[in-house]
Amino acid sequence: MNLDERKKKILSSVVEDYIVSAEPVGSKTLVDKYHLKYSSATIRNEMKLLEEGGYLEQPHVSAGRIPSTKGYRYYVDNLMKDKKLSLVDINYIDNSITGYGDTEKLLEQAADVVSKILLRPTLLTLQNQDLLENIKIVKISDKLLLIVLMSKNGTVKDCFAKITDSVPEKVVDELTGVLNKNLVGTPLENLSIALNAVIKKELSAFSFILGQICESIKYELSKDVKKISSNVESILDLPEFSDIEKVKKFMNILSTKDVIDKTLQNTIDNELGIVIGSESKEVMLKDYSIISLNIETEERKIGKLSVVSPKRLDYSKTISTLKYINNKFKTLITNNDKDKKGG
């Protein structure tokens, strides 16, 4: 279904009104509020066609329409206008991210700032450019293994893997060899992706044991590189969370972060990633959107900031906020690197 200019104008107005009001939008609202040069009857007919095309939804028979995932996607890709940040937001960002402290501290400040400006939880993913040097698996007991990860920079991480069946020492040594063969030299930030590849390649030889070991390693790595900055009070004020059960489910998504991690894997190579509702392929995220931006300089990747929200979100302001912070980081990190070299 190709959208003509009239349908585009109506869809854009519905999305923008719903983002602000959180109420289904009817034809009278569009006529009175947006002064569209069409009759109410014409607008109703066009909204019906947009619904049939999958761009709008009608939550109740007597209600107006709200954007669908497809409608939001079309709006973001084709209709959304760039939004300049207010001077209040710019000053708040500039005064909150001071430029003092290490990179991780600056990113934590940034995540907190984004969360407070947008009133949405913000996930911080730190980039770790250190390389894996060695993996050692030690059999503690018949059903418990210790996995030790050593990096080029000397970082040592360890975790335990509980397994359901006893593993002979010979198999432990073979597993150690398989992991080292496939993973040594891998950047720690890419280790989770590399582990998935190892599972697909080697799983038939080592049954489910390798899968359990890899999951333990991925969980250990995720603890250090992902942090959440959550403006809980603001979340509770959103109309989407008037039902306490929805609040519990959303907080569970934020606390476990597993489904978010899987979704972010699909945007790992994109500077700006926007995943809306069912596009994530994760049932738990069908009502939510994730907007993520890589924070990086010309020389290195620093981290990723990801805003997690119900689909009803000011996408333009979110993107503008993330981009402004990224530009600020480029200046801060470049200056800090120069100071280190000069010192």
Side-chain angles (χ1 to χ4, degrees), residues 82-132:
D82 291 338
K83 181 176 288 187
K84 292 184 178 180
L85 293 183
S86 68
L87 288 176
V88 172
D89 288 339
I90 289 173
N91 288 333
Y92 180 64
I93 293 171
D94 290 344
N95 292 329
S96 299
I97 305 176
T98 61
Y100 299 105
D102 60 26
T103 302
E104 183 173 341
K105 291 295 182 186
L106 291 175
L107 275 171
E108 289 175 358
Q109 290 175 6
D112 187 58
V113 166
V114 172
S115 180
K116 287 177 178 174
I117 288 178
L118 300 175
L119 306 180
R120 299 292 191 276
T122 303
L123 180 67
L124 164 63
T125 307
L126 299 174
Q127 299 287 350
N128 191 335
Q129 297 179 317
D130 199 359
L131 304 178
L132 181 70

Side-chain angles (χ1 to χ4, degrees), residues 96-273:
S96 299
I97 305 176
T98 61
Y100 299 105
D102 60 26
T103 302
E104 183 173 341
K105 291 295 182 186
L106 291 175
L107 275 171
E108 289 175 358
Q109 290 175 6
D112 187 58
V113 166
V114 172
S115 180
K116 287 177 178 174
I117 288 178
L118 300 175
L119 306 180
R120 299 292 191 276
T122 303
L123 180 67
L124 164 63
T125 307
L126 299 174
Q127 299 287 350
N128 191 335
Q129 297 179 317
D130 199 359
L131 304 178
L132 181 70
E133 185 171 67
N134 184 258
I135 293 181
K136 179 68 176 176
I137 303 177
V138 180
K139 183 177 178 180
I140 303 299
S141 64
D142 284 346
K143 297 184 179 181
L144 184 65
L145 302 176
L146 170 66
I147 302 109
V148 182
L149 310 176
M150 288 161 279
S151 75
K152 292 282 187 182
N153 290 345
T155 302
V156 177
K157 295 179 179 292
D158 60 72
C159 58
F160 290 97
K162 294 181 180 179
I163 52 180
T164 53
D165 296 316
S166 178
V167 182
E169 200 74 47
K170 180 182 178 182
V171 173
V172 172
D173 292 339
E174 290 176 355
L175 283 168
T176 301
V178 165
L179 291 175
N180 278 294
K181 175 186 174 183
N182 287 277
L183 299 175
V184 167
T186 302
L188 294 186
E189 65 179 352
N190 297 335
L191 198 54
S192 290
I193 298 174
L195 283 166
N196 290 334
V198 172
I199 292 174
K200 290 180 181 178
K201 180 181 177 182
E202 306 284 355
L203 192 57
S204 59
F206 295 100
S207 185
F208 54 85
I209 301 171
L210 182 57
Q212 292 171 318
I213 290 173
C214 290
E215 287 304 314
S216 297
I217 294 173
K218 286 194 285 186
Y219 177 74
E220 179 63 28
L221 292 171
S222 71
K223 290 193 296 186
D224 288 338
V225 298
K226 295 181 178 65
K227 300 182 180 181
I228 198 84
S229 181
S230 181
N231 202 325
V232 177
E233 291 182 3
S234 298
I235 295 172
L236 296 178
D237 288 338
L238 294 176
E240 287 86 350
F241 296 126
S242 57
D243 181 352
I244 192 64
E245 289 303 316
K246 289 185 178 180
V247 177
K248 290 178 180 178
K249 289 179 181 178
F250 186 61
M251 296 307 293
N252 182 54
I253 291 172
L254 294 179
S255 61
T256 58
K257 300 195 289 291
D258 288 347
V259 292
I260 296 177
D261 290 350
K262 290 178 182 177
T263 300
L264 289 178
Q265 295 290 353
N266 298 326
T267 66
I268 198 163
D269 295 324
N270 300 332
E271 180 183 359
L272 176 67

